[in-house]
Amino acid sequence: MEAASRMTLCGICKQKRVCCSAVVWCTECHNGLCAECQNNHDVVMTNHSTITVEGYLNLPPFIKSLPLVCKEHNKKLEKYCFDHNTPFCFLCNEKYHGCCAAAVVDLDTMIPNIKSSPAIENMGIKLKEILGILQKLRLDRSENLLKLEENRIKIKNKIELVRKNINEEIDNYMQDVDLALEKTKTEIDQLLGNIVKRENQMLELSEGITEIKSNATNLQIFLGTKQLEKTLDSADNFVHSVINSNSLDTISIQSDTELSLTSLIFDLNKYLTVSTNRQPTIKEFMPPNLKQVQAPILKDTKVTLNHQFNIKRESKNLAISGLCVMNNNDIVFADSNSDRLIIHDKNGSFKFEFYTEQENSFDITQLDDVTVAVTSGDDEIYIVDLSDKKVSKTLQTKDTCYGVQYSNGAMIFTVKEKGIRKISMSDFKSKYIYKNNISWGSYITTFGGNVCFTNRELHTVTLVDSAQNIIWSFSDKNVLQQPYGVTSDIHGNIYVAGYRSNNVVKISHDGKSGVEVINHGSNIDCHLRAISYVEQRKSLLVTSEEGTVFVYDIK
């Protein structure tokens, strides 16, 4: 019966209404092939690869169910957008990803060596680690249930000693004991249920890792690892939430009972009370080497200066406070000493400039091919059409706004002393997505739904999630002082320009370490301020406030 349920028919024979068992599975045609059809197939489709039917059937269900063609256009998936965390075909590019050029990569360049990449190996290790933690958590809660039962028995035995004389009154307190136990037991049972569910999920995924490496296609592995990342992040967050909350407190039932018959007769309510007591656990569940799963990252970042150029000046001194790289690789600079926007091409040649006729400018972000948004450093944001060289719309923020980043159809910007706000570009409705006291001149970047911002007064760089939870906060004055501009690569590494330390620091995705990758020393004519990572060119643009632009290659 099991063999019959796992039998795969030849797709070509099936179209001819002939029932024939497949012996191989074509990973390109997504069809089973019998021996005869395989011979014909291999002659015509020389660039297709096949695996055994058994190997295909052993793939985890989530791998086999991954869509390998665009659902909307039924076209081959050719690119991957890290902003939207989704693959797409060439028809989706202009429709949905016109403003995502810096976060879009060709799948053909990403997947060829993915089987030998450490990504899937790391996920297998992470699966085993999380599975081990879940098993420890399950055992801990089970032991606490046994201890609770022991507590209950001890307390009830004490009560039974006086039950003969005050049986009716004691029954009331016996119910209290049972209710207290039931309440606590329900809490632990619910947690145990969630732990066992996660444990089974990790066990299932762990068992499928080997089959993925052996039988999944490169594209399946790449897309599968992305789905695994989400599953593992969810499991990781669950584990941390259990450990960091009071869920693992050793719960016991206590009774402030003076088992004195005379006292109980006079005042039962005073001496027979039932309560639960939580004692924080002293057990260590997290192994020291447990880290968040990320795409493979080179530990040593090699930064090489490709070229540098000076921004076109006017009579006033420059104070470059923001920059953004357009889809055509033009670079737009915001000069906070004036209302001027200055545009150079990718090689540094000056193209044009114009005055927005607004009071000031601070930071800048691209909205589409010809439109940018500029924060004023006051209570306005300007929408600027570069093709018409004019301000097409002015948004009143009512609060002082600084760093700005466009992401998923919305502008996200820092607000002095209040936090971080988001304005939808479809209806211009605004809301706070993070509330806290943020200093003057804070910059911002986004990655994977999280927001990272700088605080020049506290010398900190902080990453928060969509639920306003602080994921990490980095601070090391020996490495970074007065952080200003901030940007991120597709792996979640953060690059920050230190204004006072006059350097660029790379912060790891977990926020635990920061490494200086660029240092301009004590050059009094150079204070690094604005920064942008360009994924397509694997380059890092760093601009000094005085108007010198440094273009670095990142390896």
Side-chain angles (χ1 to χ4, degrees):
M1 182 67 182
E2 181 181 351
S5 65
R6 288 173 61 85
M7 185 176 71
T8 301
L9 298 178
C10 173
I12 297 176
C13 292
K14 189 176 180 181
Q15 291 178 353
K16 300 175 184 178
R17 300 193 176 183
V18 176
C19 183
C20 188
S21 296
V23 294
V24 296
W25 180 269
C26 178
T27 58
E28 299 292 332
C29 300
H30 313 299
N31 238 332
L33 300 169
C34 66
E36 181 179 350
C37 292
Q38 180 191 4
N39 292 333
N40 297 329
H41 170 272
D42 290 348
V43 171
V44 179
M45 304 297 184
T46 56
N47 62 333
H48 285 202
S49 58
T50 59
I51 60 174
T52 65
V53 170
E54 189 68 21
Y56 168 73
L57 292 174
N58 287 334
L59 285 172
F62 82 92
I63 286 288
K64 290 188 286 189
S65 64
L66 286 171
L68 303 180
V69 295
C70 175
K71 292 182 179 179
E72 182 174 345
H73 304 109
N74 199 32
K75 299 292 183 182
K76 181 181 178 182
L77 298 173
E78 297 179 348
K79 297 179 181 295
Y80 192 90
C81 176
F82 283 90
D83 273 353
H84 294 92
N85 287 321
T86 184
F88 60 92
C89 71
F90 72 96
L91 292 176
C92 293
N93 190 38
E94 183 175 348
K95 186 174 182 180
Y96 301 114
H97 304 279
C99 298
C100 306
V104 170
V105 295
D106 292 328
L107 286 173
D108 288 341
T109 65
M110 294 290 292
I111 65 176
N113 299 318
I114 196 164
K115 283 192 175 183
S116 60
S117 158
I120 190 169
E121 191 70 30
N122 291 341
M123 288 182 181
I125 294 172
K126 182 66 175 289
L127 276 168
K128 292 180 180 178
E129 288 177 332
I130 293 179
L131 180 61
I133 295 172
L134 290 170
Q135 291 170 341
K136 289 180 181 178
L137 295 176
R138 174 171 54 82
L139 180 62
D140 178 82
R141 292 299 85 193
S142 298
E143 290 175 349
N144 199 168
L145 281 177
L146 291 175
K147 186 171 290 186
L148 280 171
E149 184 64 22
E150 293 174 1
N151 294 151
R152 186 177 74 95
I153 293 172
K154 288 180 180 179
I155 294 174
K156 293 188 73 171
N157 285 340
K158 290 181 180 180
I159 295 175
E160 289 293 343
L161 295 175
V162 294
R163 187 177 182 87
K164 292 180 181 180
N165 298 312
I166 50 174
N167 193 62
E168 183 177 353
E169 295 295 331
I170 290 294
D171 284 342
N172 295 330
Y173 289 93
M174 293 286 286
Q175 290 179 10
D176 290 342
V177 173
D178 291 332
L179 288 174
L181 172 65
E182 191 61 32
K183 180 179 179 181
T184 307
K185 186 175 181 294
T186 299
E187 176 184 347
I188 296 179
D189 280 336
Q190 289 177 346
L191 180 56
L192 265 175
N194 290 331
I195 291 172
V196 171
K197 180 180 177 182
R198 296 279 186 171
E199 179 184 358
N200 292 337
Q201 183 186 33
M202 295 299 104
L203 186 61
E204 179 182 352
L205 292 175
S206 181
E207 292 172 352
I209 285 293
T210 302
E211 294 300 331
I212 292 175
K213 293 180 66 176
S214 301
N215 299 311
T217 65
N218 290 348
L219 179 57
Q220 286 176 322
I221 291 176
F222 176 77
L223 298 178
T225 56
K226 292 302 169 185
Q227 186 166 332
L228 265 177
E229 284 180 3
K230 296 178 182 177
T231 303
L232 291 176
D233 283 343
S234 175
D236 203 4
N237 290 337
F238 170 77
V239 168
H240 281 85
S241 68
V242 171
I243 294 173
N244 294 331
S245 66
N246 63 358
S247 300
L248 297 180
D249 292 348
T250 300
I251 307 174
S252 61
I253 299 176
Q254 295 182 341
S255 177
D256 297 327
T257 306
E258 294 288 337
L259 291 178
S260 167
L261 181 59
T262 304
S263 300
L264 287 172
I265 293 174
F266 284 109
D267 194 352
L268 288 175
N269 289 330
K270 179 178 180 181
Y271 294 108
L272 282 179
T273 60
V274 178
S275 63
T276 58
N277 176 57
R278 287 181 177 269
Q279 181 179 352
T281 181
I282 59 173
K283 297 179 181 178
E284 182 59 56
F285 295 93
M286 298 293 289
N289 62 331
L290 186 61
K291 299 179 180 179
Q292 295 181 358
V293 173
Q294 296 285 339
I297 303 172
L298 293 175
K299 291 184 178 179
D300 298 323
T301 301
K302 184 177 181 181
V303 180
T304 307
L305 181 63
N306 183 293
H307 66 281
Q308 69 182 65
F309 61 91
N310 293 321
I311 299 171
K312 184 179 181 297
R313 294 177 174 273
E314 60 168 10
S315 57
K316 294 181 179 179
N317 290 327
L318 283 173
I320 301 300
S321 55
L323 73 89
C324 70
V325 180
M326 306 297 289
N327 289 341
N328 64 357
N329 287 319
D330 282 352
I331 312 166
V332 186
F333 301 96
D335 181 5
S336 62
N337 265 355
S338 65
D339 61 348
R340 193 169 61 123
L341 298 183
I342 312 149
I343 295 83
H344 286 247
D345 66 19
K346 66 178 181 180
N347 298 317
S349 298
F350 172 75
K351 294 188 70 172
F352 65 92
E353 65 180 359
F354 71 96
Y355 293 86
T356 62
E357 297 182 358
Q358 309 297 323
E359 287 187 6
N360 218 327
S361 59
F362 188 86
D363 197 15
I364 187 169
T365 187
Q366 176 187 0
L367 300 181
D368 58 36
D369 288 344
V370 296
T371 311
V372 296
V374 184
T375 55
S376 64
D378 202 346
D379 59 356
E380 293 178 327
I381 296 178
Y382 317 123
I383 309 301
V384 180
D385 188 323
L386 296 178
S387 60
D388 292 338
K389 300 180 182 179
K390 67 177 184 180
V391 175
S392 59
K393 190 176 184 64
T394 299
L395 303 177
Q396 300 292 332
T397 63
K398 298 182 181 179
D399 296 302
T400 305
C401 54
Y402 295 112
V404 63
Q405 178 80 41
Y406 178 78
S407 177
N408 295 331
M411 283 189 301
I412 302 173
F413 57 95
T414 60
V415 177
K416 181 182 178 182
E417 298 177 352
K418 291 189 176 181
I420 299 172
R421 274 174 61 186
K422 178 168 74 172
I423 293 181
S424 169
M425 297 306 294
S426 60
D427 55 13
F428 297 104
K429 290 184 177 179
S430 168
K431 67 176 182 179
Y432 275 93
I433 61 173
Y434 177 71
K435 292 184 177 181
N436 209 329
N437 188 354
I438 293 181
S439 70
W440 177 95
S442 291
Y443 287 79
I444 193 170
T445 188
T446 60
F447 177 80
N450 299 326
V451 177
C452 184
F453 63 92
T454 59
N455 188 316
R456 59 182 289 275
E457 295 177 354
L458 300 178
H459 308 281
T460 58
V461 182
T462 303
L463 185 72
V464 298
D465 62 19
S466 57
Q468 302 194 37
N469 299 311
I470 295 179
I471 300 174
W472 53 256
S473 185
F474 175 83
S475 177
D476 185 350
K477 290 185 181 179
N478 293 323
V479 177
L480 181 65
Q481 295 183 30
Q482 280 197 355
Y484 267 130
V486 60
T487 187
S488 59
D489 63 21
I490 61 173
H491 301 306
N493 296 300
I494 304 297
Y495 296 87
V496 189
Y499 186 81
R500 182 184 293 174
S501 50
N502 209 20
N503 60 354
V504 173
V505 173
K506 173 188 171 184
I507 302 175
S508 60
H509 60 269
D510 56 10
K512 293 182 179 179
S513 62
V515 178
E516 182 180 78
V517 293
I518 298 169
N519 190 322
H520 282 261
S522 57
N523 188 347
I524 61 174
D525 296 323
C526 178
H527 296 88
L528 301 184
R529 181 161 177 177
I531 189 170
S532 179
Y533 177 79
V534 184
E535 172 59 33
Q536 289 177 317
R537 291 152 49 187
K538 296 293 188 295
S539 63
L540 190 67
L541 275 66
V542 189
T543 304
S544 72
E545 189 175 66
E546 294 79 9
T548 301
V549 182
F550 304 92
V551 181
Y552 293 93
D553 294 327
I554 302 290
K555 294 183 181 180

